[in-house]
Short mmCIF file of all heavy atoms in Angstrom, two decimals:
data_model
loop_
_atom_site.label_atom_id
_atom_site.label_comp_id
_atom_site.label_asym_id
_atom_site.label_seq_id
_atom_site.Cartn_x
_atom_site.Cartn_y
_atom_site.Cartn_z
N VAL A 1 22.72 21.46 21.51
CA VAL A 1 21.46 21.97 21.01
C VAL A 1 21.28 21.42 19.60
O VAL A 1 22.23 20.90 19.01
CB VAL A 1 21.43 23.53 21.00
CG1 VAL A 1 21.53 24.08 22.40
CG2 VAL A 1 22.54 24.10 20.12
N THR A 2 20.08 21.53 19.08
CA THR A 2 19.82 21.09 17.71
C THR A 2 19.57 22.32 16.86
O THR A 2 18.69 23.12 17.18
CB THR A 2 18.61 20.14 17.66
OG1 THR A 2 18.89 19.01 18.50
CG2 THR A 2 18.34 19.67 16.25
N VAL A 3 20.36 22.47 15.80
CA VAL A 3 20.24 23.62 14.91
C VAL A 3 19.85 23.11 13.53
O VAL A 3 20.61 22.35 12.91
CB VAL A 3 21.56 24.42 14.83
CG1 VAL A 3 21.42 25.59 13.87
CG2 VAL A 3 21.98 24.90 16.22
N ASN A 4 18.67 23.49 13.08
CA ASN A 4 18.16 23.06 11.77
C ASN A 4 18.25 21.54 11.61
O ASN A 4 18.67 21.04 10.56
CB ASN A 4 18.88 23.79 10.64
CG ASN A 4 18.58 25.26 10.62
OD1 ASN A 4 17.67 25.74 11.28
ND2 ASN A 4 19.36 26.00 9.86
N GLY A 5 17.89 20.83 12.66
CA GLY A 5 17.84 19.37 12.62
C GLY A 5 19.16 18.68 12.88
O GLY A 5 19.22 17.45 12.89
N THR A 6 20.24 19.42 13.09
CA THR A 6 21.56 18.84 13.31
C THR A 6 22.01 19.06 14.75
O THR A 6 22.09 20.20 15.20
CB THR A 6 22.60 19.48 12.36
OG1 THR A 6 22.16 19.30 11.02
CG2 THR A 6 23.97 18.86 12.55
N PRO A 7 22.33 17.98 15.48
CA PRO A 7 22.87 18.16 16.83
C PRO A 7 24.18 18.95 16.76
O PRO A 7 25.04 18.67 15.94
CB PRO A 7 23.13 16.73 17.31
CG PRO A 7 22.26 15.87 16.45
CD PRO A 7 22.18 16.58 15.12
N THR A 8 24.27 19.98 17.60
CA THR A 8 25.42 20.88 17.58
C THR A 8 25.95 21.04 18.98
O THR A 8 25.21 21.40 19.89
CB THR A 8 25.01 22.25 17.01
OG1 THR A 8 24.46 22.06 15.70
CG2 THR A 8 26.18 23.20 16.95
N GLN A 9 27.24 20.77 19.16
CA GLN A 9 27.90 20.97 20.45
C GLN A 9 28.33 22.42 20.53
O GLN A 9 29.07 22.89 19.67
CB GLN A 9 29.10 20.02 20.58
CG GLN A 9 29.66 19.94 21.97
CD GLN A 9 28.70 19.29 22.96
OE1 GLN A 9 27.91 18.44 22.61
NE2 GLN A 9 28.77 19.72 24.20
N PHE A 10 27.87 23.12 21.55
CA PHE A 10 28.14 24.55 21.70
C PHE A 10 28.75 24.79 23.07
O PHE A 10 28.18 24.44 24.09
CB PHE A 10 26.85 25.35 21.53
CG PHE A 10 26.97 26.81 21.87
CD1 PHE A 10 27.84 27.62 21.18
CD2 PHE A 10 26.19 27.36 22.86
CE1 PHE A 10 27.95 28.96 21.47
CE2 PHE A 10 26.29 28.71 23.16
CZ PHE A 10 27.16 29.51 22.47
N SER A 11 29.93 25.40 23.07
CA SER A 11 30.60 25.69 24.35
C SER A 11 31.12 27.12 24.35
O SER A 11 32.28 27.36 24.59
CB SER A 11 31.73 24.70 24.59
OG SER A 11 32.67 24.77 23.53
N GLY A 12 30.24 28.04 24.03
CA GLY A 12 30.63 29.45 24.01
C GLY A 12 30.81 30.00 25.41
O GLY A 12 30.46 29.36 26.40
N THR A 13 31.33 31.21 25.50
CA THR A 13 31.53 31.83 26.80
C THR A 13 30.21 32.29 27.41
O THR A 13 30.09 32.42 28.61
CB THR A 13 32.48 33.05 26.68
OG1 THR A 13 31.91 33.96 25.72
CG2 THR A 13 33.86 32.63 26.22
N SER A 14 29.22 32.51 26.57
CA SER A 14 27.89 32.90 27.02
C SER A 14 26.89 31.96 26.37
O SER A 14 27.03 31.60 25.21
CB SER A 14 27.60 34.34 26.61
OG SER A 14 26.25 34.66 26.87
N SER A 15 25.90 31.55 27.11
CA SER A 15 24.92 30.61 26.57
C SER A 15 23.65 31.33 26.15
O SER A 15 22.57 31.08 26.67
CB SER A 15 24.60 29.54 27.62
OG SER A 15 25.74 28.80 27.93
N THR A 16 23.81 32.26 25.21
CA THR A 16 22.65 32.97 24.67
C THR A 16 22.52 32.66 23.19
O THR A 16 23.45 32.15 22.56
CB THR A 16 22.80 34.50 24.84
OG1 THR A 16 23.91 34.93 24.05
CG2 THR A 16 22.97 34.89 26.30
N VAL A 17 21.37 33.00 22.65
CA VAL A 17 21.16 32.80 21.22
C VAL A 17 22.16 33.63 20.42
O VAL A 17 22.74 33.15 19.44
CB VAL A 17 19.70 33.15 20.83
CG1 VAL A 17 19.52 33.08 19.32
CG2 VAL A 17 18.73 32.21 21.53
N ALA A 18 22.43 34.86 20.85
CA ALA A 18 23.40 35.71 20.15
C ALA A 18 24.79 35.07 20.14
O ALA A 18 25.50 35.13 19.14
CB ALA A 18 23.45 37.10 20.78
N ALA A 19 25.19 34.47 21.25
CA ALA A 19 26.50 33.81 21.33
C ALA A 19 26.55 32.61 20.38
O ALA A 19 27.58 32.37 19.74
CB ALA A 19 26.80 33.38 22.76
N LEU A 20 25.46 31.89 20.27
CA LEU A 20 25.42 30.75 19.33
C LEU A 20 25.54 31.25 17.90
O LEU A 20 26.26 30.66 17.09
CB LEU A 20 24.14 29.95 19.52
CG LEU A 20 23.94 28.80 18.52
CD1 LEU A 20 25.01 27.72 18.72
CD2 LEU A 20 22.55 28.21 18.64
N LEU A 21 24.83 32.33 17.56
CA LEU A 21 24.93 32.88 16.21
C LEU A 21 26.37 33.30 15.91
O LEU A 21 26.87 33.08 14.80
CB LEU A 21 23.98 34.06 16.04
CG LEU A 21 22.49 33.72 16.06
CD1 LEU A 21 21.66 34.99 15.97
CD2 LEU A 21 22.12 32.76 14.96
N ASP A 22 27.04 33.89 16.89
CA ASP A 22 28.44 34.27 16.72
C ASP A 22 29.29 33.02 16.49
O ASP A 22 30.13 32.99 15.59
CB ASP A 22 28.92 35.03 17.95
CG ASP A 22 30.32 35.58 17.77
OD1 ASP A 22 30.61 36.14 16.70
OD2 ASP A 22 31.13 35.43 18.70
N PHE A 23 29.07 31.98 17.26
CA PHE A 23 29.78 30.71 17.15
C PHE A 23 29.60 30.11 15.75
O PHE A 23 30.53 29.52 15.19
CB PHE A 23 29.27 29.76 18.23
CG PHE A 23 29.80 28.36 18.17
CD1 PHE A 23 31.08 28.07 18.63
CD2 PHE A 23 29.03 27.32 17.67
CE1 PHE A 23 31.57 26.77 18.59
CE2 PHE A 23 29.51 26.03 17.62
CZ PHE A 23 30.79 25.76 18.09
N LEU A 24 28.41 30.27 15.19
CA LEU A 24 28.09 29.71 13.87
C LEU A 24 28.49 30.64 12.72
O LEU A 24 28.29 30.31 11.55
CB LEU A 24 26.59 29.41 13.79
CG LEU A 24 26.06 28.35 14.74
CD1 LEU A 24 24.54 28.28 14.67
CD2 LEU A 24 26.68 26.98 14.43
N GLY A 25 29.05 31.80 13.05
CA GLY A 25 29.46 32.74 12.01
C GLY A 25 28.32 33.56 11.44
O GLY A 25 28.43 34.09 10.34
N LEU A 26 27.23 33.68 12.18
CA LEU A 26 26.05 34.40 11.69
C LEU A 26 25.81 35.72 12.42
O LEU A 26 24.80 36.37 12.18
CB LEU A 26 24.81 33.51 11.82
CG LEU A 26 24.81 32.25 10.96
CD1 LEU A 26 23.64 31.34 11.32
CD2 LEU A 26 24.79 32.60 9.49
N ALA A 27 26.72 36.09 13.30
CA ALA A 27 26.54 37.35 14.05
C ALA A 27 26.51 38.53 13.09
O ALA A 27 27.30 38.61 12.15
CB ALA A 27 27.66 37.52 15.05
N GLY A 28 25.55 39.42 13.28
CA GLY A 28 25.44 40.61 12.46
C GLY A 28 24.76 40.39 11.13
O GLY A 28 24.56 41.33 10.37
N LYS A 29 24.41 39.16 10.82
CA LYS A 29 23.73 38.86 9.57
C LYS A 29 22.24 38.78 9.82
O LYS A 29 21.81 38.44 10.93
CB LYS A 29 24.24 37.55 8.98
CG LYS A 29 25.71 37.62 8.61
CD LYS A 29 26.18 36.37 7.95
CE LYS A 29 27.66 36.53 7.59
NZ LYS A 29 28.20 35.33 7.00
N PRO A 30 21.42 39.09 8.81
CA PRO A 30 19.97 39.00 9.01
C PRO A 30 19.53 37.54 9.10
O PRO A 30 19.62 36.79 8.12
CB PRO A 30 19.39 39.70 7.78
CG PRO A 30 20.48 39.62 6.75
CD PRO A 30 21.78 39.57 7.49
N VAL A 31 19.10 37.15 10.29
CA VAL A 31 18.71 35.77 10.54
C VAL A 31 17.39 35.75 11.30
O VAL A 31 17.20 36.51 12.25
CB VAL A 31 19.78 35.05 11.39
CG1 VAL A 31 19.38 33.61 11.69
CG2 VAL A 31 21.13 35.07 10.69
N VAL A 32 16.49 34.89 10.86
CA VAL A 32 15.26 34.65 11.60
C VAL A 32 15.53 33.44 12.50
O VAL A 32 16.05 32.42 12.05
CB VAL A 32 14.08 34.35 10.65
CG1 VAL A 32 12.83 33.99 11.44
CG2 VAL A 32 13.82 35.54 9.75
N VAL A 33 15.20 33.59 13.80
CA VAL A 33 15.49 32.53 14.77
C VAL A 33 14.20 32.06 15.42
O VAL A 33 13.40 32.85 15.91
CB VAL A 33 16.45 33.05 15.87
CG1 VAL A 33 16.71 31.96 16.90
CG2 VAL A 33 17.75 33.53 15.25
N GLU A 34 14.04 30.74 15.42
CA GLU A 34 12.95 30.11 16.15
C GLU A 34 13.58 29.21 17.20
O GLU A 34 14.43 28.38 16.89
CB GLU A 34 12.09 29.28 15.19
CG GLU A 34 10.87 28.66 15.84
CD GLU A 34 10.06 27.86 14.85
OE1 GLU A 34 10.35 26.64 14.72
OE2 GLU A 34 9.18 28.43 14.20
N LEU A 35 13.20 29.41 18.45
CA LEU A 35 13.72 28.63 19.57
C LEU A 35 12.59 27.84 20.18
O LEU A 35 11.62 28.42 20.68
CB LEU A 35 14.36 29.55 20.61
CG LEU A 35 14.83 28.91 21.91
CD1 LEU A 35 15.91 27.87 21.66
CD2 LEU A 35 15.32 29.97 22.88
N ASN A 36 12.69 26.52 20.12
CA ASN A 36 11.65 25.64 20.66
C ASN A 36 10.27 26.04 20.16
O ASN A 36 9.32 26.17 20.92
CB ASN A 36 11.71 25.62 22.19
CG ASN A 36 13.02 25.10 22.69
OD1 ASN A 36 13.62 24.20 22.11
ND2 ASN A 36 13.51 25.68 23.77
N GLN A 37 10.17 26.25 18.85
CA GLN A 37 8.94 26.55 18.13
C GLN A 37 8.37 27.94 18.47
O GLN A 37 7.18 28.18 18.28
CB GLN A 37 7.88 25.47 18.35
CG GLN A 37 8.34 24.11 17.87
CD GLN A 37 7.28 23.05 18.04
OE1 GLN A 37 6.31 23.22 18.76
NE2 GLN A 37 7.47 21.94 17.36
N ARG A 38 9.21 28.85 18.95
CA ARG A 38 8.79 30.22 19.24
C ARG A 38 9.73 31.17 18.51
O ARG A 38 10.94 31.14 18.74
CB ARG A 38 8.85 30.50 20.74
CG ARG A 38 8.46 31.91 21.10
CD ARG A 38 8.61 32.16 22.61
NE ARG A 38 8.59 33.58 22.88
CZ ARG A 38 9.66 34.36 22.96
NH1 ARG A 38 10.87 33.87 22.80
NH2 ARG A 38 9.56 35.65 23.22
N ALA A 39 9.17 32.00 17.63
CA ALA A 39 9.99 32.97 16.90
C ALA A 39 10.47 34.05 17.85
O ALA A 39 9.73 34.50 18.73
CB ALA A 39 9.18 33.58 15.76
N LEU A 40 11.73 34.45 17.69
CA LEU A 40 12.32 35.49 18.53
C LEU A 40 12.44 36.79 17.76
O LEU A 40 12.74 36.78 16.56
CB LEU A 40 13.71 35.07 19.01
CG LEU A 40 13.80 33.80 19.85
CD1 LEU A 40 15.26 33.50 20.17
CD2 LEU A 40 13.00 33.95 21.13
N PHE A 41 12.25 37.90 18.45
CA PHE A 41 12.52 39.21 17.88
C PHE A 41 14.03 39.41 17.91
O PHE A 41 14.71 38.93 18.82
CB PHE A 41 11.85 40.31 18.70
CG PHE A 41 10.36 40.36 18.55
CD1 PHE A 41 9.54 39.87 19.56
CD2 PHE A 41 9.77 40.88 17.41
CE1 PHE A 41 8.17 39.91 19.43
CE2 PHE A 41 8.40 40.93 17.27
CZ PHE A 41 7.59 40.44 18.29
N PRO A 42 14.59 40.16 16.96
CA PRO A 42 16.03 40.42 16.98
C PRO A 42 16.52 41.00 18.31
O PRO A 42 17.60 40.67 18.77
CB PRO A 42 16.23 41.40 15.83
CG PRO A 42 15.13 41.07 14.88
CD PRO A 42 13.95 40.71 15.76
N ARG A 43 15.71 41.82 18.95
CA ARG A 43 16.11 42.43 20.22
C ARG A 43 16.22 41.40 21.35
O ARG A 43 16.79 41.68 22.40
CB ARG A 43 15.14 43.54 20.60
CG ARG A 43 13.74 43.05 20.91
CD ARG A 43 12.81 44.18 21.36
NE ARG A 43 11.48 43.70 21.61
CZ ARG A 43 10.46 43.79 20.77
NH1 ARG A 43 10.62 44.40 19.61
NH2 ARG A 43 9.27 43.31 21.09
N GLU A 44 15.66 40.21 21.16
CA GLU A 44 15.68 39.18 22.19
C GLU A 44 16.91 38.28 22.12
O GLU A 44 17.18 37.52 23.06
CB GLU A 44 14.44 38.29 22.09
CG GLU A 44 13.13 39.00 22.34
CD GLU A 44 11.95 38.07 22.15
OE1 GLU A 44 11.70 37.65 21.00
OE2 GLU A 44 11.29 37.79 23.16
#
């Protein structure tokens, strides 16, 4: 996937946005996420 313009290899146990945030060390931190030009709600 591409994260903030940087190609990133992700091989987590779950392929969700939350799993990626955990992989990047951002789990539980206040983060605004846009996926393919669509902003996500934290509950998503």
Side-chain angles (χ1 to χ4, degrees):
V1 296
T2 301
V3 179
N4 294 347
T6 302
T8 303
Q9 193 66 31
F10 171 60
S11 58
T13 57
S14 172
S15 298
T16 64
V17 174
L20 176 65
L21 292 176
D22 186 45
F23 174 78
L24 296 173
L26 296 171
K29 296 183 179 177
V31 179
V32 175
V33 178
E34 184 180 90
L35 174 61
N36 299 324
Q37 300 182 344
R38 178 183 164 267
L40 299 177
F41 288 104
R43 66 177 178 260
E44 297 177 293

